[in-house]
Amino acid sequence: MKKTFDKTTAKKWLCLLLATMTLAGTCSCNGKDNSSSVDAGNSSASEAPETGETKPNYTLDSYDFITVFTDGAKKTLKRYNAQVPAENGQIVYDVYSNLGNRNYLKLNLSTNVDLVGYINYYNNADKTVTHSEKFFVEADSTEFITFLDAFRAGAYGAFEKTITTITFQNVDATKEGVMRFDSAEICDRKIVTDEYMYVSDGSTVVGTSAYYGGCITYLEKLEQDVVEYMDSDGNICIDRDVDPDSVPRVTSTSVNMVNIMDLGREIQPSYYSGVKKENGYDPQYDPEDVYDGLTGSEPIYNPIQCGDYGGHSPQIIDYNYQSDRLYIKMKAQEWFFGCNIQANGYIEVTYYFDENGSLIVDNRYTDFSQFINEYEVPMHMQETPATYIVYPFNYFYCETKQGTIFDEKVGEQNGRTQSKHTKNHAVTGDYIYDLKAKTLKNSWCAFVNQNKFGVGIYMPNADKYIASRGRKSVNYFSEKGNSRYYEEFFQFSEDELVPSYAVFNYSYINPSLERRMIQFVPLEYSYALFIGDTDEMGAAFNDLKKSGKLTNAHLNDDATRGWPDF
């Protein structure tokens, strides 16, 4: 039976995402009220088109920009000295332009060096309410485009505003900068916060929302009669070629294979640095606003794509939604804080399919926090991405040089669980897998069901492949099964089964890079996802390898990799 993306399921999925943010509540940090102004229940404003329906191509020519500032004079900027900030000059441009409710800003410029800048504005209704947005422009750019911070949960600039000044500073420590700021333009392009976006090749559909930073929140296999259901023993199962009338109880016939229980799940990059106050990292927060899983330890710098512990979503900088791909750029949030702390880093992600059905995901992260002495900071695991798959895919599958792992006993990653570093590594008690790349036959692994159907991820030249599970039970009624709490949390009725994408239980894979975060230097890499059985995954990923389309070869080149592993 040919199946297309189901509108009702898509709308409910979006409601769940927005409800997750709303039910997380509001908090305050440094005296600021960060409550969301978004109506979480307004998903009916967006109708999902059927799979294959053409989406409008995005171009800047589609928008009517108004010029609000002109200059054009060539300026010189001092060479950057990170150790003595007071010696770093900056250029201040007096703009003083009333933008009203227009928030899509384009700066036309030229520069031979990397620049950090600030866009400063006030609330037209109360000039004492001000905000300053830090931004980053790469050398040789001719324009910088950004949505001002007006559309997300916790937006600091969700009001009609007047820009006062825009500043620029050279952050290149090797040379003097030369720049020219020609003009600033504004238009009324808006982010539709309750619009979901998806890309499909007709066999698989990937879905996301700009509201959640564009991370993967929906992944479904079409055309193969995939069903999530409860078996006669109360176990939740997902499999293909299933007749819904042949199973005791159906959870869903439009199966989302991504766990979205909170903003730290999904499929998204999550970056880390152990910078301290002496490196320039000094977040201001109340201890009550810190993630409660950090018992006895301090939060570290952890910019992620989807949002923070308190339910604040990231600021979208720009996005380009076309018929066959989606590009999205956002300013990351610091995960460990519930008080709306934005990271000074840009995450850029592009989604598209290759001809063999693999979903390709191109990633880029650039941090511009202006930390110092970062080469002295220890290396850290980078989740590239953190891949949270639904828990009915409970067998970890990986082809290694010691043989194939097909294991349903993988445990939780809680800091006390032992790690298996090879297939035959003997351990006692619960364990996770922490496999170095050199132990794998190929650069992919998966979580699958007992029939070896599930979701695989391929990332060549990762340093490690880590696998764990959150609670091991697949039984709906067990102590570690689906808590009835989630029925209320996600607004399911008493007679509905809570689908696996909305509960605590999960299966997790991280193709990890061990890297040290370097300022102003982008980390770039790609990975692929595939839904099918393990033979189909292997064939699809092998095709990618042979084609040379996805190699990440630069990650083995010390001269160009960006973030070093030494």
Side-chain angles (χ1 to χ4, degrees):
M1 178 181 70
K2 183 174 177 62
K3 179 185 171 190
T4 57
F5 191 32
D6 179 69
K7 296 181 181 181
T8 302
T9 299
K11 289 164 70 173
K12 186 161 191 174
W13 154 66
L14 186 70
C15 283
L16 289 173
L17 288 175
L18 295 175
T20 304
M21 174 279 300
T22 303
L23 290 165
T26 60
C27 61
S28 60
C29 184
N30 301 330
K32 295 176 181 177
D33 179 10
N34 301 317
S35 58
S36 169
S37 61
V38 177
D39 177 6
N42 191 29
S43 63
S44 61
S46 175
E47 285 291 331
E50 298 292 344
T51 301
E53 183 173 324
T54 302
K55 293 173 282 291
N57 284 335
Y58 155 92
T59 64
L60 285 181
D61 295 338
S62 305
Y63 303 98
D64 295 324
F65 283 90
I66 301 171
T67 300
V68 295
F69 173 82
T70 58
D71 185 87
K74 185 179 291 186
K75 305 288 177 111
T76 302
L77 302 99
K78 291 183 179 180
R79 182 169 60 89
Y80 182 58
N81 184 345
Q83 303 295 328
V84 189
E87 292 186 2
N88 295 313
Q90 65 177 2
I91 298 175
V92 180
Y93 290 91
D94 293 325
V95 178
Y96 289 94
S97 178
N98 184 348
L99 305 185
N101 62 1
R102 296 184 292 270
N103 287 284
Y104 192 53
L105 181 67
K106 180 158 71 90
L107 308 182
N108 300 301
L109 49 79
S110 64
T111 175
N112 70 328
V113 293
D114 290 342
L115 302 171
V116 163
Y118 291 88
I119 301 165
N120 305 299
Y121 53 80
Y122 62 73
N123 185 339
N124 289 349
D126 181 356
K127 293 183 179 181
T128 65
V129 177
T130 63
H131 186 55
S132 183
E133 296 191 19
K134 188 174 184 178
F135 66 97
F136 176 69
V137 180
E138 294 185 38
D140 302 318
S141 296
T142 58
E143 64 183 19
F144 172 76
I145 300 172
T146 182
F147 285 101
L148 298 177
D149 189 18
F151 300 103
R152 66 189 181 95
Y156 287 110
F159 45 72
E160 294 192 6
K161 59 182 63 66
T162 292
I163 286 185
T164 55
T165 59
I166 298 176
T167 70
F168 295 92
Q169 179 188 74
N170 177 12
V171 289
D172 190 324
T174 67
K175 62 184 178 183
E176 186 177 73
V178 178
M179 70 158 292
R180 189 179 69 241
F181 182 16
D182 294 320
S183 64
E185 300 175 76
I186 195 74
C187 81
D188 62 356
R189 184 187 181 200
K190 292 176 172 57
I191 299 172
V192 182
T193 55
D194 60 359
E195 176 189 18
Y196 53 83
M197 300 175 286
Y198 73 93
V199 175
S200 177
D201 66 349
S203 176
T204 303
V205 60
V206 60
T208 185
S209 167
Y211 199 77
Y212 282 79
C215 71
I216 297 175
T217 50
Y218 196 91
L219 192 64
E220 181 186 359
K221 189 67 174 177
L222 306 174
E223 299 184 318
Q224 294 188 0
D225 294 328
V226 178
V227 175
E228 179 176 327
Y229 62 94
M230 178 186 288
D231 69 13
S232 58
D233 294 321
N235 299 318
I236 300 297
C237 308
I238 296 175
D239 212 345
R240 62 183 175 184
D241 300 322
V242 175
D243 179 359
D245 295 330
S246 69
V247 296
R249 193 173 178 186
V250 172
T251 304
S252 177
T253 57
S254 297
V255 181
N256 182 9
M257 300 182 182
V258 181
N259 182 280
I260 60 169
M261 199 276 288
D262 65 31
L263 299 188
R265 302 290 181 88
E266 295 78 35
I267 300 177
Q268 62 174 314
S270 179
Y271 303 107
Y272 299 85
S273 177
V275 286
K276 305 291 185 182
K277 189 171 183 178
E278 56 265 31
N279 304 109
Y281 182 59
D282 189 21
Q284 302 301 303
Y285 62 93
D286 188 298
E288 293 184 357
D289 287 331
V290 177
Y291 173 58
D292 56 13
L294 284 175
T295 305
S297 60
E298 291 291 321
I300 66 171
Y301 185 57
N302 177 207
I304 74 169
Q305 183 180 1
C306 190
D308 66 25
Y309 165 61
H312 304 96
S313 53
Q315 178 184 353
I316 299 300
I317 300 301
D318 201 8
Y319 70 100
N320 182 339
Y321 182 29
Q322 297 185 352
S323 60
D324 58 352
R325 67 177 52 211
L326 170 64
Y327 164 82
I328 194 159
K329 176 180 181 180
M330 77 294 303
K331 194 173 189 181
Q333 285 286 118
E334 290 204 49
W335 161 251
F336 287 110
F337 302 103
C339 52
N340 198 17
I341 298 179
Q342 291 182 282
N344 287 309
Y346 289 148
I347 295 175
E348 299 172 76
V349 181
T350 305
Y351 304 110
Y352 55 96
F353 286 90
D354 85 325
E355 61 271 18
N356 294 314
S358 293
L359 172 66
I360 312 296
V361 186
D362 296 334
N363 298 262
R364 194 172 197 263
Y365 179 71
T366 310
D367 198 89
F368 52 97
S369 299
Q370 297 179 266
F371 297 139
I372 62 173
N373 300 326
E374 64 262 45
Y375 282 94
E376 299 174 5
V377 177
M379 290 191 299
H380 204 290
M381 173 193 74
Q382 311 297 334
E383 296 178 286
T384 62
T387 309
Y388 285 88
I389 303 301
V390 291
Y391 73 90
F393 295 138
N394 57 325
Y395 287 79
F396 177 59
Y397 182 93
C398 187
E399 297 174 357
T400 77
K401 294 175 182 177
Q402 288 189 346
T404 297
I405 298 170
F406 182 52
D407 190 352
E408 66 171 333
K409 296 180 180 179
V410 184
E412 296 184 39
Q413 188 170 12
N414 56 20
R416 301 180 300 276
T417 309
Q418 299 179 82
S419 295
K420 290 190 69 168
H421 298 296
T422 63
K423 178 182 185 294
N424 297 332
H425 184 186
V427 297
T428 58
D430 288 344
Y431 58 87
I432 66 171
Y433 281 95
D434 186 343
L435 305 172
K436 291 185 177 180
K438 65 183 181 181
T439 68
L440 274 64
K441 288 177 62 177
N442 302 293
S443 300
W444 68 273
C445 51
F447 266 104
V448 296
N449 64 14
Q450 62 184 358
N451 297 321
K452 297 185 179 179
F453 171 75
V455 180
I457 183 166
Y458 170 66
M459 183 173 160
N461 285 316
D463 295 324
K464 291 182 177 182
Y465 299 82
I466 299 169
S468 66
R469 300 190 65 220
R471 297 182 180 166
K472 292 163 58 174
S473 176
V474 295
N475 189 280
Y476 193 83
F477 303 106
S478 73
E479 182 181 352
K480 291 189 175 182
N482 292 358
S483 168
R484 307 297 287 182
Y485 163 75
Y486 293 107
E487 289 194 0
E488 178 180 353
F489 188 85
F490 285 108
Q491 302 175 16
F492 286 97
S493 65
E494 287 293 329
D495 60 347
E496 287 183 285
L497 290 176
V498 182
S500 57
Y501 65 79
V503 305
F504 182 91
N505 303 35
Y506 60 83
S507 298
Y508 165 89
I509 296 175
N510 169 23
S512 172
L513 292 173
E514 298 288 323
R515 293 292 189 274
R516 180 179 289 109
M517 185 183 293
I518 303 301
Q519 295 298 288
F520 319 121
V521 176
L523 175 66
E524 298 178 279
Y525 58 92
S526 300
Y527 64 86
L529 297 169
F530 189 89
I531 302 173
D533 64 37
T534 52
D535 288 341
E536 293 165 338
M537 293 177 198
F541 295 149
N542 190 50
D543 285 345
L544 276 177
K545 180 180 179 180
K546 288 181 177 179
S547 71
K549 294 177 182 177
L550 201 170
T551 66
N552 291 329
H554 62 285
L555 294 176
N556 281 334
D557 184 351
D558 286 338
T560 62
R561 69 171 39 147
W563 295 5
D565 64 353
F566 54 84

